[in-house]
Amino acid sequence: MTTTTSTTAAPTEAVATASTAATASTADAPALIRFRPTGLDTAPEVNALLERLGFGPFAPDGLTAFGGRNDNWAGTTTRGRQVFVKTVARAPDGSRPEIDRALAFEATAARLPAGSPLRTPEHLGTDRESAVSAFRLLPGSRSGSEVALDGDFDEALCREAGRAVATLHTLGTAGGASDGASGGEAPDPASAPAIDTGEAPLPPMRWLRAFPWSEVQDRSMAQIAAWKLVQDDTEVVAALHRLRERERTAPHTPAHCDLRFDQFLVHDGQLFLCDWEEFRLADPARDVGAFVGEWLFQATYSVFAPTGEPTSAKDAVAPGFDLSHEEIVERGAAGLRHHIPRIAAFWQGYTECRTPDPELAERAVGFAGWHLYDRLIATAQAHAVLNPVARAAAGIGRTLLLNPAGAVATLRLADPAVPHPAVTPAAVVPAAVLPTAVAHPAQPHPADAPSGSPR
């Protein structure tokens, strides 16, 4: 059976895992970002599930965790099984929607043939009552965010990502009872929860009018400022409402609905897609737009890197860069020129495996625009003021939201047989916005953002 691992994202929860990061031991090694896991004495349900599965409890030596808002553990059990275990939070009413959505994916993915472009780490079992799931660990795997950070998420991997996402969008649906699998058994397609048909939570439309007072205490000043950027821009608010309306009338397919680089794993040269807690029937343009948005955020960051080129994990951002207006625009265009071939490769892979509806590319550009705002909010979590990258990302996101049709060809989401235009700064990089981005020179790398924005 195929299935999931790693991290998730939900609209309103903060990061809930560990603390101390460890990186590769040599300067030339790729980044392998790991964390100290939460003590298992506070989560007895983890070893209880592993015992029921017949693996024995985790051996304490070498136990580690991956980044993300959910508690997770990766290591070897006393009986020699390498496993990854994660928990998800219950809803306030005691329900377990995230587990149910993940189990619905498992049942749906059971239909994938051998050699499918959509690969997910093997699901070993779930205790639905405790909201704990176990998966086969892929030793030495790197998250997609780490791979992108090291400059290794190349066009070949992007094409594979496109094929995987397209395959997801062509999956059939699984129905059945809503109680799901529990007690350490893999989901049976006949008894797994039905696929969620509810509207995806992001963007949270009611937050476009006002920020809920109940959420203020959990947000940084920079996050509140980021939301104010959205709320005060009547054109952006109107564009988000239009995007939602187009989404409601678009063809719906099984979709990931939380796609980011860190939802991919690279293991032994193969690409895996993970984390299905937001899986549902939705507009497939959400997933395409999110992948495009990830590369646009990378391109925005490269404006403020020391060389103007994508940086490796060991590079530090030079503080105090005093860039002129012309340098900012030039670097923005250079970053786009560097990353757009990756977007094109993703789209090529996607269209090899699925024929998109005629308006999917345009809706995807809109969702890419929202994704930039989403990442802006995520990276603002640990800051008191919005940094230059955040403001530049917001400017590009605004451009895409207000005129998605105008960026389809520039982002290479048009028919591959149609010649594409040269990438120019005016096409996507809003020159009028970027110069304001040098007011606060210190900025985080995109990999510093928590998994899933604390929206």
Side-chain angles (χ1 to χ4, degrees):
M1 181 179 291
T2 51
T3 170
T4 175
T5 183
S6 200
T7 58
T8 73
T12 58
E13 295 189 17
V15 173
T17 59
S19 50
T20 309
T23 57
S25 58
T26 66
D28 296 328
L32 290 174
I33 304 170
R34 301 296 178 259
F35 297 82
R36 180 182 302 142
T38 299
L40 285 171
D41 56 337
T42 65
E45 63 273 15
V46 171
N47 278 333
L49 172 61
L50 294 177
E51 291 274 20
R52 284 200 300 276
L53 291 171
F55 303 153
F58 269 122
D61 293 342
L63 192 62
T64 187
F66 298 91
R69 70 171 188 85
N70 292 314
D71 280 334
N72 64 83
W73 299 261
T76 305
T77 71
T78 56
R79 296 181 185 174
R81 290 295 298 263
Q82 292 185 307
V83 297
F84 173 87
V85 179
K86 66 188 292 187
T87 66
V88 298
R90 299 183 187 183
D93 63 1
S95 62
R96 306 160 187 82
E98 292 185 352
I99 282 289
D100 288 345
R101 285 192 287 265
L103 290 173
F105 167 77
E106 299 299 341
T108 306
R111 305 176 182 185
L112 287 170
S116 169
L118 177 58
R119 306 180 189 90
T120 64
E122 181 186 2
H123 176 237
L124 302 174
T126 290
D127 183 340
R128 182 178 178 275
E129 191 66 27
S130 299
V132 178
S133 294
F135 307 89
R136 183 172 71 88
L137 181 66
L138 303 178
S141 62
R142 301 161 64 199
S143 79
S145 60
E146 294 168 356
V147 175
L149 182 61
D150 289 313
D152 297 332
F153 211 132
D154 57 17
E155 292 175 32
L157 272 182
C158 287
R159 180 170 171 267
E160 287 304 303
R163 290 171 57 82
V165 172
T167 301
L168 166 65
H169 293 169
T170 60
L171 285 178
T173 61
S178 60
D179 55 354
S182 63
E185 297 182 359
D188 177 359
S191 62
I195 296 181
D196 191 344
T197 59
E199 190 173 71
L202 300 176
M205 304 307 288
R206 65 187 180 91
W207 286 23
L208 300 181
R209 295 190 301 272
F211 197 76
W213 178 251
S214 60
E215 303 290 342
V216 171
Q217 62 182 357
D218 295 325
R219 307 291 175 246
S220 71
M221 292 300 296
Q223 283 181 313
I224 295 172
W227 271 109
K228 187 172 175 60
L229 275 181
V230 178
Q231 294 164 345
D232 289 351
D233 192 328
T234 56
E235 290 184 302
V236 165
V237 170
L240 288 170
H241 280 285
R242 288 194 299 271
L243 183 62
R244 277 291 206 184
E245 287 302 317
R246 296 186 70 177
E247 175 186 24
R248 292 187 183 103
T249 59
H252 280 37
T253 69
H256 191 283
C257 291
D258 190 28
L259 202 69
R260 299 185 312 277
F261 285 158
D262 60 359
Q263 311 293 31
F264 290 95
L265 293 175
V266 177
H267 176 69
D268 286 346
Q270 291 189 315
L271 193 68
F272 293 75
L273 182 55
C274 311
D275 295 344
W276 301 97
E277 286 80 7
E278 292 300 321
F279 175 71
R280 68 187 72 224
L281 291 180
D283 185 352
R286 279 186 169 270
D287 291 343
V288 175
F291 192 87
V292 173
E294 286 285 83
W295 283 117
L296 293 178
F297 193 81
Q298 290 275 333
T300 308
Y301 171 78
S302 70
V303 170
F304 302 97
T307 63
E309 296 293 331
T311 59
S312 73
K314 60 182 180 292
D315 287 334
V317 178
F321 250 52
D322 186 17
L323 300 178
S324 68
H325 171 95
E326 291 75 16
E327 288 173 319
I328 292 172
V329 174
E330 180 182 350
R331 288 186 176 207
L336 286 171
R337 282 192 291 268
H338 187 90
H339 291 312
I340 281 179
R342 294 178 168 93
I343 296 173
F346 173 87
W347 187 243
Q348 177 190 356
Y350 188 91
T351 55
E352 287 172 357
C353 293
R354 178 176 187 264
T355 301
D357 68 83
E359 296 183 352
L360 187 146
E362 190 173 321
R363 297 194 311 276
V365 172
F367 279 113
W370 159 252
H371 189 83
L372 287 165
Y373 279 103
D374 183 62
R375 300 314 295 154
L376 145 68
I377 296 166
T379 56
Q381 182 185 24
H383 299 274
V385 295
L386 288 178
N387 60 66
V389 175
R391 293 188 176 276
I396 295 175
R398 186 180 195 275
T399 299
L400 300 181
L401 279 168
L402 297 190
N403 184 21
V408 167
T410 299
L411 295 176
R412 306 277 295 277
L413 299 180
D415 185 335
V418 178
H420 60 84
V423 177
T424 62
V428 176
V429 181
V433 173
L434 282 174
T436 65
V438 295
H440 305 285
Q443 57 275 332
H445 193 279
D448 294 336
S451 297
S453 56
R455 309 155 178 90

